[in-house]
Amino acid sequence: MRSLPTSRLRSALRVMACAAFLLPLAACDSGGDGDDNGDTMPPTILSASSSDGSTVSVTFSEALDAASVTASAFTVTPGATVTAATANGASVTLTLAAGLDDDERRTYTVTANGVRDAAGNAATGASATFSFGQGGGSSGGTAVGAAYPNAGDSRIVFFNTSGDRFLVFNPVTGVSTDPDDLDDIENGLIPLDDVAAAASVFDEGETYFFANDGDTFTNYERDTADFDTPASFEEEYDEQGYELSSIGAAVEGDFFASNSIVLFNQNGTEWQLWQPENDSFSDVFTFPSQFGGGNAPISAVGAAVYREDTNQVYLFSRDGTRYTIWAGGNNFTAAFPVEELGDYAF
């Protein structure tokens, strides 16, 4: 079969994207070059954890201006006081005035205000949750870092924001399996150290996994239960029209277009439609202004999953603490705390 030129493939994908996502008229009628007009997005918190109760490790979506990282820029609630904050690129270590209570496991929220990235964008209310107590140690709380449909039923595989733990969640009953280490997923053969995004191609029986670096990926073939050797997504698909340069979320399904995947960048503010079958990509669009009519109640996407049983897409905020349900067109629910999904914890 003769392949279409790249320009025609991108044009066809734009038409599908307009039909599926109800892009603004200007985006559908014009060529749309998808150029990056500069960094205007403030840093967000990807994850938080505490291993000893006296310090909290916070990971941001990008490197911070160290001068803006001060104790007064952070709060840890409930009942903790931050006395010092030290930055190292995108990582921040918070020192607490008194250790967190180890006698009872509790969920804490880290919030940042005023910390800036290299472009001077300041975070406002950026937050993430973590759990500590009952013998120490930290979990990712209920925050969701990646998701994809479980094979053979209507459950969803959730990853924590660090991408090293997963569980299988039933959205109907609100009950999950016990959390497990990444090494035990899909026959224990996954060749990645962490997972930031995952998406399936239903008709092909494949699931794509993307690492936290936003570039390394592998493909899982369900028929043979084999993983491909990890590779650079950018190196493989740069000439086919891939322009995001990082991947932080993905969502799958015929809901969008036949055998397609929507890829979001690590900041969750840009996306492309990808068809693995013919290695073609749409133009780059922005989120939320050029997605579902621009009515999404979250400002950036950190995880997404398509529920085939209900024909709905669950979009999670960049910090994994809120979600909204999209039913196509302009139809979004409000943004809800992920705790309302049901009973699960990493």
Side-chain angles (χ1 to χ4, degrees):
M1 183 176 71
R2 200 172 101 187
S3 299
L4 289 172
T6 299
S7 59
R8 291 182 61 188
L9 284 169
R10 290 171 74 95
S11 177
L13 287 174
R14 169 177 282 276
V15 172
M16 287 189 287
C18 287
F21 302 113
L22 291 182
L23 293 170
L25 184 61
C28 292
D29 288 347
S30 64
D33 58 15
D35 288 342
D36 183 2
N37 293 320
D39 181 8
T40 60
M41 296 300 299
T44 59
I45 298 178
L46 301 184
S47 63
S49 63
S50 178
S51 60
D52 56 11
S54 61
T55 60
V56 177
S57 299
V58 185
T59 302
F60 282 83
S61 57
E62 55 187 320
L64 301 178
D65 175 4
S68 70
V69 179
T70 62
S72 62
F74 293 88
T75 60
V76 178
T77 56
T81 301
V82 179
T83 59
T86 305
N88 182 11
S91 299
V92 173
T93 299
L94 305 179
T95 301
L96 306 181
L100 301 176
D101 184 5
D102 190 49
D103 293 334
E104 180 181 356
R105 192 166 188 83
R106 304 182 68 178
T107 297
Y108 297 86
T109 300
V110 179
T111 304
N113 287 286
V115 294
R116 300 184 301 272
D117 60 17
N121 302 306
T124 302
S127 65
T129 61
F130 68 96
S131 297
F132 183 85
Q134 291 186 355
S138 176
S139 76
T142 53
V144 174
Y148 72 98
N150 189 58
D153 57 43
S154 59
R155 295 182 300 169
I156 299 169
V157 180
F158 281 157
F159 295 87
N160 63 357
T161 51
S162 298
D164 57 2
R165 300 275 283 171
F166 77 96
L167 52 81
V168 184
F169 177 75
N170 187 327
V172 177
T173 64
V175 177
S176 75
T177 62
D178 291 333
D180 207 343
D181 292 332
L182 178 64
D183 292 345
D184 292 325
I185 203 165
E186 304 292 6
N187 301 307
L189 301 175
I190 187 168
L192 301 178
D193 293 328
D194 45 49
V195 171
S200 300
V201 180
F202 288 114
D203 294 345
E204 301 296 325
E206 298 176 325
T207 300
Y208 292 84
F209 294 88
F210 300 86
N212 280 334
D213 63 9
D215 183 52
T216 305
F217 80 107
T218 183
N219 182 27
Y220 179 67
E221 306 267 354
R222 296 198 175 279
D223 288 344
T224 61
D226 290 331
F227 284 94
D228 288 345
T229 301
S232 165
F233 195 82
E234 186 170 15
E235 288 181 5
E236 287 216 10
Y237 294 108
D238 181 59
E239 295 184 0
Q240 280 71 43
Y242 169 66
E243 296 179 6
L244 295 181
S245 298
S246 69
I247 296 171
V251 65
E252 58 286 346
D254 291 337
F255 188 97
F256 304 102
S258 178
N259 294 337
S260 68
I261 294 176
V262 178
L263 302 174
F264 293 87
N265 68 351
Q266 284 188 308
N267 286 336
T269 57
E270 293 182 332
W271 59 272
Q272 279 189 285
L273 187 65
W274 172 42
Q275 285 196 298
E277 190 175 27
N278 53 28
D279 294 340
S280 57
F281 293 81
S282 72
D283 294 319
V284 174
F285 301 105
T286 60
F287 183 91
S289 63
Q290 292 181 305
F291 189 100
N295 293 328
I298 58 174
S299 60
V301 175
V305 65
Y306 172 52
R307 281 189 62 184
E308 190 174 25
D309 60 325
T310 61
N311 202 35
Q312 295 173 323
V313 178
Y314 284 55
L315 298 172
F316 295 84
S317 61
R318 190 66 191 89
D319 63 6
T321 63
R322 295 182 301 144
Y323 74 98
T324 183
I325 302 173
W326 179 52
N330 297 318
N331 301 313
F332 289 92
T333 65
F336 305 106
V338 294
E339 287 84 357
E340 295 186 9
L341 282 171
D343 183 17
Y344 74 94
F346 295 104

